[in-house]
Every structure is written in C-alpha cells, then in structure tokens.
Amino acid sequence: MQRVCQSSLGLRWAFASPASGHGPILIRCASTNVSTKPSPRLDLCGIDLKWRQRWAAVELNGQGSAGAGAGKPKCFVLPMFPYPSGALHMGHVRVYTIADVLARFERMRGHNVIHPMAWDAFGLPAENAAIERGVDPEEWTRDNIAKMKAQLMEMNGSWDWSREFMTCDPSFYKHTQRIFLLLHERGLAYQAESLVNYDPVDKTVLANEQVDSNGCSWRSGAKVEKRRLKQWFLRVTAFKEALLEDLDVLAEGGNWPERVISMQKNWLGRSKGARVRFSISVTKGAGTTESTEVMAFTTRPDTLFGVQYLALGIDHPLVLKLAKSSPELQIFLDAVPTLPLDSKAGWLLEGVQATNPLALLSDMPNIVKEPLPVYVAPYVLGDYGYGAVMGVPGHDNRDYAFWRENCWSDPTRIVVVPTDSAGLPPAGGPFNDSGVLTPLCGPFAGLTSAEASERLISGLSKISADLGNFVESWKIRDWLISRQRYWGTPIPMIHCEGCGPVPVPGDQLPVELPKLDGVEMRGKGGNPLQDVSEWVNTKCPRQGDRTPTGFLPG
C-alpha cells in the first residue's frame, strides 16, 4: 500500500508498506506541480545599511569614548594606523578585522574598550604626488583619508571614530615636537655628521631602498653620492642593555615566538671580544712618512697571529682623508653603491702599512712582525666596531672570500686547529671554531683559544691601556631621524649662526609647516622649504635677531 502527500512547498512524499511487514518507508518524489511564485531574494546591501544605521543610533562605535563604561575594567586595543595611500587592500582588511574581533571580544567580557582609528598621514608619497602632479600634499592626503574612511566604514568595525585624528594635523604633531624637546633636554636627541646617500639633482637624502642596483636615484636617475651631512639622531643606544634584558621578560611563557626574540637579539647584536690597536704608517711624497693608529674589534683574540691584512670601511676617517689626494681612490668609493651587497671588492692603499700589536710583545714569532697591507673594503661596516676589520682569512669566511679575491696567490695562515684533527676544514678553507694554537704562534702554541685570548689581551693591556682590552660591541646604532623633505613633522630646533641649535620654546609649539602651493612644487626636487623666506629667516629665541638658517624638517 502507498500513500502520497504533498507539502506546501510542492514536495511530494510517498509512504509505502513493505511486504516484510516492517515499518513504512519514506520516499521523496519529484513534483510535477512546482509553484511559479518567485522565492524572495536576500537584500544584503539593505541588511548592511539597516544594521549600520542601528549601530550608529546606539553609538556602538563610541562605547569606548570618554565617560562611557565608568567602573568597568579598561582595555585598549590599538591597531597600527594606516597610511592614507588612497585605497584599502586585503592586508588592511586582515589586520583591522583581527583587532576588531579582539575589541568585540573584550567588550562582551564586560570591559570598557578603547578601539580608536587614526591616520599615519605624513610620508613621501604625498610629496611625490605634489612634485609629479602639482597637487597640494595636504589636500592629496585629506582626499585619500576620505576615500579610505568610507571603505573602512563598510567593514562595520567597532572603531571609536570620536577619537579620529591624522598625524599631519598640527594639534597632533605639537606633542611629537614636545617629546623631541624633552629628549633633547636629556641628551637623548643630538646632531652629528653621518654618511648618507645624496641625490645631487633632487638635492635630498635617500634611503638605501631609494638607490637602485646601479647606484642611481630611484626618481631622478642621477648617480647617488656619499656625503657627510649633519643629521639628527635619537640616542637609542643608551637603552641597549635594558632592551636586551627585557627580551627575557617577553620570552616568559612563550609570549613572544622564539624566532622573534632571536631577531631582536641579532638586531641589538651584543658581541663580547677585544679592542686592539694597529699602528699605521703612511708614506707620503719625498719619502716622508706619517704615523697614525686604527682600532679594530674582534671576537677572536686568539687569531691575532693569523692577521694577514687590515681592512677599512669606505667611510673610515683615514680613507676619507686619503681620498682627498687620490682621485683613483675617490673613483672607487663613488662606485661602491653599484657593487653587489655581498661584494668582496677591495682597494689596496699603496704606501700604507699596518703593524700587528703582538709585535710589541716579547719572544713573538716573525709572522707578527711583518708589515700588513691595508685595504678599503665595502664589506666592512662603518658603524660596527670601529669601521676596521683585522683580516684573518684562515679563520673567518668573509675574510677568506676577500683574501681569495684580492690576494689569490698568497696562502692563508692557519693558527688555530681543532683538538681533533678530523675537524680540520678542506685544504685552504678557513677553520672558524675554537681549538688550540699551532706552532706558528711561538710561545702560545698549544694553548686553548680561551687561554690564549686571555693571555694575549692581558699582555697588550700591560704595555698600554688602549693597545688591547676586553670590550663589548653592539650592532644597534642611534636612530637617524632627519629627512631633507617637506611633508613631515618639523623638528623644533632653530639653527642660529651665533648660538648653534636652539630649541623652540614650548609655549611656541607647534612649529607648523608653511602652506605650499602644489603648483609651485611641481617638478621641483630637494627641500622646498629652502625657498620660503619666512621659514629660513626666523628669530633666535636667545638673541632675538633674525638668523639666515631655519628649521630642519623631520
């Protein structure tokens, strides 16, 4: 027996009783009587608009505003503010969705959540737009903010728009300027000369990323020059020990990934080693010689017997001095930006020789008394150690590669070997580990690397305190913050010919950027502020008179 039913949606069901006598079987059948009435469609845009209006009505996005949530536990969810480039991309969606989920979660837990949104509005793209298209950088920035805010609103995030601001607003950057003045008062902001990439056409400093593989400016195409310019720095190195120690706190309980902790430690780059002094002899015209000294840092004092050359960075004071009287050397220095990053090219300084400091110790073998060639080597970092490397090709990979490229016919010198001969490298290659000193090391032969390092540096320090001593070296460097551009926070310092750098009084903040017409900036490079008379010629707070130098834009 079979019984057929039809639902209100037009589906037909058949109930059949099997011959076995078991319970009925439900069978779904196709209906031949399908309704022609169109099914309703979801109006997603309408639903989105409805709830956006509802949320706005109850001020959901303002729940973290001042006075709201009094007495509740506080939570501050702060995402990185976007740069107003003009359009959101999926990276923005990802980052701000994560922050919004966290803010909503904490709000549901009963917290008073501050979840603001703002705009990191200063930057080079706005200035480039002014130069290329003749638009006002501020107008370009505000237009982009309006477009991106509309896109963000469509994401329906729970941002507190009552707290919105942009960093190019003087009401905001006056606080940045105040912080700078506080740092300056405490000696943590200072001015010093630094070697920079300089575009001679645009007359501006370039970041390394703005120099192409041929050593040319990314915009003007001009060959980039290395110049020493006065720049402003923040003394972050004053906090290097605290930064390193606090990494242990961040690592507790796996709060930070080990790879991130390792990256931070490498960025700080603390190395324990020794500082040693090499005597330098420079032969000049008419057979005269000039003596000077060069300091070098090493983590392997036990390899001092293996020093076969001294390498100086391209911005070492001795190199810059010699380049003034050597056009060939200057040509080499100018060509350095075109070299690959891992280049082991070198320039032999003719008439310049170095002396190993071990030559001053008694009973030393002849190998440490031989004069050492001195090279200019781009692989030497000018801001690490002392801008000089004692070249030990037998015990360092970079030194070995440099030696093979510049002195390929001379064998490397192995002065440390492993306690187990099975650990020796292939013939001619460097041995980079600790071990015991070889017979080439005279009275120090047979000592372990640790023992030899201690005795060698102790012996040198007894002769002279700066001939050799144990020190620490760090990779971290003070933060260069100067930019010779227009669209950025002005550094609140007046450059007076009589007084030098003078802080702007706090009650005169903010120091505002002068309004520049985008048409006037079109096609111009360099710093447009240098043509603004009221900016360049300002009054010194100490002397009260006008000075022909002005503010340095940040």
Side-chain angles (χ1 to χ4, degrees):
M1 184 182 72
Q2 178 173 301
R3 188 172 56 179
V4 178
C5 300
Q6 182 169 321
S7 72
S8 60
L9 295 178
L11 299 177
R12 301 179 69 220
W13 306 93
F15 295 89
S17 299
S20 62
H22 294 291
I25 300 175
L26 178 64
I27 305 172
R28 179 180 174 183
C29 306
S31 173
T32 58
N33 185 26
V34 179
S35 172
T36 59
K37 184 179 180 180
S39 58
R41 298 180 61 185
L42 283 175
D43 183 4
L44 296 178
C45 292
I47 294 173
D48 179 71
L49 178 61
K50 167 190 171 181
W51 284 105
R52 284 174 60 185
Q53 292 173 344
R54 288 278 297 271
W55 287 331
V58 299
E59 296 182 341
L60 175 65
N61 287 343
Q63 286 188 8
S65 58
K72 294 182 179 181
K74 297 177 181 180
C75 180
F76 189 21
V77 180
L78 180 65
M80 182 183 294
F81 296 145
Y83 177 77
S85 58
L88 295 182
H89 53 70
M90 287 309 299
H92 291 105
V93 175
R94 176 179 181 271
V95 168
Y96 297 120
T97 297
I98 293 172
D100 187 53
V101 168
L102 180 59
R104 292 175 184 272
F105 173 71
E106 295 296 343
R107 193 176 289 117
M108 293 171 69
R109 294 179 63 205
H111 287 75
N112 176 22
V113 178
I114 294 179
H115 186 206
M117 180 56 69
W119 307 95
D120 185 8
F122 274 135
L124 200 56
E127 187 164 345
N128 286 339
I131 295 173
E132 294 169 8
R133 298 192 288 273
V135 297
D136 185 322
E138 183 174 352
E139 291 180 6
W140 185 88
T141 299
R142 289 183 180 274
D143 288 347
N144 286 349
I145 287 176
K147 296 174 186 176
M148 293 179 67
K149 182 175 180 178
Q151 291 178 308
L152 278 173
M153 295 289 285
E154 292 180 352
M155 286 179 59
N156 296 321
S158 60
W159 299 291
D160 183 358
W161 289 105
S162 69
R163 300 177 184 271
E164 180 187 14
F165 64 89
M166 53 185 178
T167 58
C168 62
D169 191 323
S171 65
F172 172 83
Y173 66 66
K174 72 177 181 181
H175 301 293
T176 305
Q177 293 174 337
R178 179 57 180 155
I179 291 172
F180 178 89
L181 292 178
L182 290 172
L183 293 171
H184 185 264
E185 289 174 12
R186 290 157 177 77
L188 297 174
Y190 67 96
Q191 202 174 25
E193 283 194 347
S194 175
L195 194 69
V196 297
N197 300 315
Y198 188 80
D199 184 329
V201 173
D202 282 350
K203 299 179 181 178
T204 187
V205 173
L206 302 175
N208 289 334
E209 295 78 11
Q210 296 170 320
V211 182
D212 66 22
S213 59
N214 295 318
C216 297
S217 169
W218 68 286
R219 202 181 75 83
S220 72
K223 183 67 76 173
V224 173
E225 302 173 358
K226 289 288 186 178
R227 291 193 181 183
R228 298 190 74 87
L229 299 178
K230 269 194 172 183
Q231 307 283 288
W232 283 100
F233 293 84
L234 297 183
R235 204 182 301 275
V236 295
T237 54
F239 307 96
K240 60 188 180 217
E241 293 281 359
L243 288 169
L244 183 61
E245 292 171 1
D246 285 350
L247 287 178
D248 294 334
V249 178
L250 296 175
E252 289 178 0
N255 290 327
W256 277 34
E258 177 57 35
R259 61 180 179 83
V260 177
I261 297 293
S262 179
M263 289 169 59
Q264 291 293 305
K265 288 182 177 179
N266 290 336
W267 171 66
L268 293 169
R270 182 174 70 175
S271 300
K272 294 185 177 181
R275 177 180 61 186
V276 291
R277 186 186 73 201
F278 287 80
S279 297
I280 306 293
S281 174
V282 181
T283 302
K284 312 195 73 150
T288 61
T289 60
E290 180 181 310
S291 297
T292 186
E293 297 169 344
V294 166
M295 306 301 293
F297 173 79
T298 178
T299 58
R300 294 290 305 276
D302 57 316
T303 63
L304 273 165
F305 290 98
V307 177
Q308 294 183 261
Y309 68 92
L310 192 68
L312 306 178
I314 60 172
D315 57 345
H316 192 282
L318 178 58
V319 173
L320 299 178
K321 179 180 178 181
L322 295 174
K324 293 179 179 179
S325 58
S326 173
E328 295 83 3
L329 173 57
Q330 188 60 56
I331 292 174
F332 174 78
L333 297 178
D334 293 339
V336 166
T338 68
L339 299 174
L341 293 177
D342 59 350
S343 172
K344 295 301 182 291
W347 180 272
L348 178 64
L349 295 174
E350 297 288 351
V352 181
Q353 294 181 329
T355 300
N356 192 319
L358 296 187
L360 299 177
L361 297 178
S362 58
D363 300 325
M364 286 292 100
N366 289 332
I367 57 172
V368 301
K369 299 176 182 178
E370 299 171 357
L372 301 170
V374 180
Y375 288 87
V376 180
Y379 84 92
V380 178
L381 301 178
D383 58 356
Y384 178 71
Y386 303 92
V389 165
M390 59 177 225
V392 188
H395 302 283
D396 183 271
N397 289 329
R398 291 186 309 163
D399 296 350
Y400 177 76
F402 180 84
W403 189 249
R404 294 298 298 168
E405 182 165 334
N406 293 275
C407 302
W408 59 271
S409 62
D410 295 340
T412 57
R413 186 187 303 157
I414 301 295
V415 296
V416 178
V417 294
T419 53
D420 182 359
S421 59
L424 279 172
F431 172 66
N432 299 328
D433 297 328
S434 299
V436 295
L437 274 63
T438 68
L440 290 175
C441 304
F444 290 84
L447 294 180
T448 66
S449 292
E451 293 170 338
S453 295
E454 181 67 34
R455 288 179 57 178
L456 285 169
I457 299 304
S458 296
L460 292 175
S461 63
K462 290 178 181 177
I463 296 175
S464 175
D466 64 346
L467 187 59
N469 50 27
F470 288 106
V471 296
E472 284 185 346
S473 184
W474 297 73
K475 289 182 181 177
I476 183 175
R477 291 293 174 264
D478 289 338
W479 183 17
L480 191 157
I481 61 170
S482 294
R483 296 293 182 270
Q484 281 67 37
R485 309 292 299 204
Y486 165 68
W487 192 236
T489 302
I491 292 178
M493 301 293 293
I494 295 173
H495 296 268
C496 175
E497 287 186 333
C499 306
V502 179
V504 173
D507 60 2
Q508 295 182 22
L509 298 180
V511 176
E512 296 190 32
L513 282 172
K515 186 77 172 177
L516 294 183
D517 189 338
V519 176
E520 295 177 359
M521 294 181 64
R522 185 168 188 171
K524 292 184 179 180
N527 185 355
L529 292 176
Q530 64 190 7
D531 299 324
V532 182
S533 177
E534 62 270 23
W535 178 270
V536 175
N537 299 298
T538 187
K539 288 185 177 182
C540 173
R542 293 178 182 171
Q543 296 188 5
D545 57 357
R546 304 189 73 80
T547 173
T549 53
F551 301 96
L552 178 65

